[in-house]
């Protein structure tokens, strides 16, 4: 992100939370919840338990702790931790509080071997992450950024879908930058020739 910013390149790079911030996609979960039409319905699937997330914990800044959904206190274990370039406050529980908790299965991914719960609460607002990353997030969340980014479904993605799925180039078969570049250009050449042929350029003798 810093390199793009320093070079003055107006790129739009999506982050992992972009779709969750987009209010236009708030109803997409109902489509994901639908069963696979080709799924074998004779087998009974176990319902996955939703684990508690950082948003389920209540931060108590006055006592420098946070409260878990079971009402237990998790105490500060680091106030300015850097996780993937973002500032976070870490909290961890106690063996006395987590050991006999009746909600361990909802809180811990491996309740049988993990003694206590740890959680990282990310800071919010200016300065909570890399400045270049924050600028990119604001750019892609803007009306102009969303309009430009949505064009990729009609411009970039069909090209990669054709080359990877139809042409079956899911990996390079050569080694070395020069050979790989040659192979890639050959596939792009075939892709472009097909586009010209479909548009009738061959029939016009051009």
């Amino acid at each position: 992100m810093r390199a793009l910013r320093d070079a003055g390149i107006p790129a739009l790079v999506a982050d992992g939370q972009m779709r969750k911030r987009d209010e236009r996609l708030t109803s997409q979960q109902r489509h994901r919840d639908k069963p696979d039409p080709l799924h074998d319905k004779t087998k009974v699937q176990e319902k996955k338990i939703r684990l508690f997330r950082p948003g389920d914990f209540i931060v108590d800044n006055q006592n420098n702790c946070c409260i878990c959904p079971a009402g237990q206190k998790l105490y500060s274990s680091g106030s300015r931790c850097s996780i993937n370039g973002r500032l976070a406050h870490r909290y961890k529980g106690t063996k006395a509080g987590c050991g006999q908790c009746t909600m361990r299965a909802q809180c811990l991914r491996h309740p049988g071997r993990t003694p206590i719960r740890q959680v990282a609460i990310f800071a919010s607002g200016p300065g909570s992450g890399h400045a270049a990353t924050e600028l990119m997030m604001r750019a892609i969340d803007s009306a102009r950024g969303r309009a430009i980014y949505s064009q990729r479904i009609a411009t970039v993605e069909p090209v990669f879908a054709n080359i990877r799925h139809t042409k079956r180039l899911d990996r390079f078969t050569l080694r070395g930058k020069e050979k790989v570049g040659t192979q890639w250009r050959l596939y792009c050449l075939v892709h472009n020739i097909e586009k010209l042929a479909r548009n009738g350029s061959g029939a016009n003798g051009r």
Side-chain angles (χ1 to χ4, degrees):
M1 298 301 106
R2 280 195 294 264
L4 289 170
R5 181 194 62 185
D6 295 342
I9 299 174
L12 287 174
V13 182
D15 59 278
Q17 303 297 317
M18 182 197 74
R19 292 185 177 275
K20 292 183 178 180
R21 296 193 306 271
D22 194 339
E23 63 277 0
R24 299 173 301 175
L25 304 176
T26 52
S27 62
Q28 69 175 352
Q29 188 60 41
R30 62 188 176 90
H31 299 292
R32 292 182 178 179
D33 292 339
K34 292 180 179 178
D36 185 347
L38 301 179
H39 177 66
D40 183 4
K41 299 175 178 61
T42 60
K43 297 180 181 179
V44 179
Q45 283 187 322
E46 294 183 2
K47 188 176 180 180
K48 291 185 178 180
I49 299 175
R50 176 192 175 278
L51 297 177
F52 294 134
R53 300 169 183 168
D56 298 319
F57 292 73
I58 301 172
V59 178
D60 183 354
N61 291 319
Q62 185 175 356
N63 296 308
N64 199 24
C65 67
C66 72
I67 311 299
C68 75
Q72 300 290 339
K73 286 185 178 181
L74 281 75
Y75 296 93
S76 174
S77 60
S79 60
R80 292 186 63 81
C81 303
S82 178
I83 302 176
N84 295 328
R86 297 179 62 193
L87 286 178
H89 195 143
R90 287 184 179 273
Y91 300 89
K92 65 179 181 179
T94 62
K95 290 184 179 180
C98 296
Q100 302 300 323
C101 182
T102 59
M103 305 179 76
R104 285 176 60 82
Q106 288 181 261
C107 194
L108 300 171
R109 196 180 303 274
H110 303 289
R113 65 172 185 261
T114 306
I116 61 174
R117 172 63 189 259
Q118 300 186 57
V119 64
I121 307 295
F122 287 99
S124 60
S128 60
H130 289 309
T133 302
E134 297 292 336
L135 288 172
M136 181 66 71
M137 291 170 63
R138 287 200 289 270
I140 207 166
D141 286 346
S142 66
R144 179 176 180 275
R146 288 177 177 177
I148 294 175
Y149 190 83
S150 63
Q151 294 175 11
R152 62 174 289 174
I153 196 171
T155 56
V156 178
E157 291 183 2
V159 176
F160 286 108
N162 181 34
I163 292 176
R164 183 175 182 178
H165 180 74
T166 308
K167 304 285 188 298
R168 302 295 177 89
L169 183 66
D170 55 358
R171 60 173 295 177
F172 290 105
T173 57
L174 302 174
R175 296 293 178 267
K177 185 176 181 180
E178 184 177 351
K179 293 180 180 179
V180 167
T182 301
Q183 186 178 15
W184 173 248
R185 285 190 290 272
L186 283 172
Y187 272 86
C188 291
L189 179 64
V190 173
H191 172 82
N192 288 328
I193 289 175
E194 286 182 343
K195 291 177 69 175
L196 292 172
R198 291 194 188 98
N199 289 333
S201 298
N204 296 329
R206 289 178 292 179

